[in-house]
Amino acid sequence: MSRVIRQHRRGPVDSQRSVDAWTREADAVALPRVSEVEAQGRPGTVGTVYSEYEYGALADEQELVWPAEGESAARPYQVEAEGLASADTATAFLLAASEKEVQEAQADYQDAVRVLTPYIRRESGAKVRYWVCWPLLILGDMAGVWSAAVVNGDIPFIAFWQALASGVAAGCAGLVGSELKDLRMAQARQRDPESLGKDEQRYWRLFTGAGKGMAVVRLVGLLSLLVVALLALGIAILRSSIEGGEAGLTFGLLAAATALGSGLLGYTAADEVADLVGTMENRLRRAVKRHFKLASSAAPRQRAQALEEARSIKSEYQLRGHGAAKRVESLSWRVQRNNVHVLGHGFPAGEPSGVIGRKARRGDRS
């Protein structure tokens, strides 16, 4: 009988074959006739017959064998889950820290938006326009230097890098425009420290820094003008040596215009408050991205899948064991029904739970 039960791994079809085998075995059980019994009820002289004990024990066996088989089937998944436990614990720790980081970044960003939005002066799309136009100005200035250097006989590869450095210098010379814009906006926001609200005190630097660092800005401005002058002069001399004085003057002025245009572009796009809010928004985006990356890590997902697979298998085999036990119990009643000449057709009236001496339910051997 146990050999038949252990074929369960082949699926429901083999389980049905096991049931059929039990049924054939139960049908083959025959109790010897002791005497002719004409009574319809179970004789009071008959207690618990041996077949009832046999099938009761077999039913108990099913509730042990099937869970054991379930434990065996679930073992690979449990081993896999245990192997992933350390990685899962580490990921959970990092996720907790990442969640805190996301919450802090979200709170800082919302606070900055709520407090500083009224002080933002940069128009929508100005930053995009800046990052589109600024490289074009650099490339335009670079093209004039590169072509002149190549025509003058320089090696194209070397001339390229010299021209690129010249173009970047012209673009950087215009960055002073953003500093001038920030100083002007800081003066417009200038407030007495005592007048700042509780929320604004966190950003006191934006309201009390006007006029500070003006000497440094003047120095940077003078250096930027010097760079513009040197670039214009250098390109003018280079072009003059190749194409004449008029062409040299033209390209020199264009180089100066490029640097000045970079300064104006930086001036229009500058907004210290908007940059601060944007920085906090980028910080929030990065924190959320890291959090999602950790949340989608393979180790926690695989461990959860393995644990669920093991739980489901054990639950399935536990239920199969209960079902098999009930089936064996029903076969015990089938044996009694097929032997009415000894056990009668049922319990006498008034004894619904069975005659004295017979077990009232499985598990009770009294």
Side-chain angles (χ1 to χ4, degrees):
M1 180 63 65
S2 297
R3 287 195 301 272
V4 175
I5 295 170
R6 291 189 176 90
Q7 300 299 319
H8 63 279
R9 285 191 181 181
R10 297 180 181 176
V13 175
D14 285 346
S15 298
Q16 184 60 43
R17 290 176 181 173
S18 299
V19 171
D20 294 341
W22 296 339
T23 303
R24 289 192 297 271
E25 183 175 338
D27 288 341
V29 174
L31 300 179
R33 183 190 297 270
V34 178
S35 61
E36 293 292 338
V37 180
E38 297 180 357
Q40 298 299 313
R42 181 171 179 139
T45 56
V46 179
T48 304
V49 297
Y50 296 142
S51 65
E52 293 179 84
Y53 282 114
E54 176 187 358
Y55 278 86
L58 183 59
D60 290 339
E61 180 189 16
Q62 307 314 303
E63 294 189 348
L64 296 175
V65 171
W66 282 90
E69 293 289 347
E71 186 72 27
S72 177
R75 185 174 296 116
Y77 300 100
Q78 290 179 310
V79 171
E80 180 184 1
E82 285 301 314
L84 295 169
S86 297
D88 182 48
T89 301
T91 303
F93 173 80
L94 293 176
L95 266 175
S98 176
E99 181 180 1
K100 184 178 180 180
E101 181 183 0
V102 171
Q103 291 174 345
E104 291 177 351
Q106 177 73 16
D108 289 343
Y109 173 64
Q110 290 180 337
D111 182 71
V113 170
R114 180 175 57 84
V115 177
L116 300 179
T117 295
Y119 301 98
I120 293 178
R121 293 294 180 267
R122 184 165 61 205
E123 62 183 85
S124 178
K127 200 68 174 180
V128 176
R129 183 175 64 244
Y130 174 81
W131 286 114
V132 171
C133 296
W134 191 67
L136 294 178
L137 291 174
I138 292 177
L139 292 175
D141 190 85
M142 168 191 164
V145 177
W146 188 21
S147 62
V150 171
V151 172
N152 196 40
D154 285 350
I155 299 174
F157 178 76
I158 297 177
F160 172 84
W161 295 110
Q162 290 177 337
L164 179 61
S166 174
V168 172
C172 292
L175 294 178
V176 70
S178 61
E179 292 295 330
L180 295 175
K181 175 70 171 295
D182 287 339
L183 282 175
R184 188 178 73 82
M185 298 302 297
Q187 291 175 351
R189 292 191 305 269
Q190 183 71 25
R191 298 263 299 277
D192 187 279
E194 299 297 330
S195 67
L196 296 178
K198 183 177 180 181
D199 294 333
E200 294 173 333
Q201 288 177 0
R202 182 179 182 183
Y203 311 100
W204 62 270
R205 179 181 61 83
L206 298 175
F207 301 99
T208 60
K212 296 180 180 179
M214 180 61 73
V216 176
V217 174
R218 289 196 183 98
L219 176 61
V220 173
L222 290 175
L223 292 176
S224 298
L225 291 176
L226 178 60
V227 170
V228 173
L230 291 175
L231 284 172
L233 180 61
I235 293 176
I237 294 174
L238 178 62
R239 285 287 180 172
S240 296
S241 64
I242 299 172
E243 303 173 3
E246 293 183 357
L249 179 61
T250 300
F251 279 96
L253 293 176
L254 288 176
T258 299
L260 293 176
S262 174
L264 294 175
L265 183 65
Y267 185 88
T268 59
D271 191 327
E272 186 179 12
V273 177
D275 289 340
L276 177 60
V277 175
T279 299
M280 291 187 175
E281 183 179 8
N282 291 334
R283 174 196 170 199
L284 175 60
R285 285 202 187 100
R286 289 193 297 269
V288 170
K289 185 178 180 179
R290 285 194 298 269
H291 189 73
F292 272 115
K293 185 176 181 180
L294 284 171
S296 60
S297 299
R301 182 179 68 254
Q302 292 173 356
R303 186 168 189 268
Q305 291 173 347
L307 288 174
E308 178 59 22
E309 189 76 24
R311 184 208 63 78
S312 179
I313 290 174
K314 287 184 177 182
S315 179
E316 176 189 351
Y317 277 77
Q318 190 79 22
L319 293 174
R320 287 179 180 272
H322 291 325
K326 289 295 182 181
R327 170 60 65 174
V328 172
E329 186 176 355
S330 71
L331 294 178
S332 176
W333 291 103
R334 186 182 184 93
V335 171
Q336 297 176 58
R337 180 171 61 81
N338 291 339
N339 290 274
V340 295
H341 54 283
V342 176
L343 301 174
H345 293 91
F347 298 117
E351 297 182 14
S353 61
V355 296
I356 298 175
R358 183 183 182 280
K359 68 185 180 73
R361 57 185 176 273
R362 192 172 59 78
D364 181 6
R365 297 292 182 259
S366 57

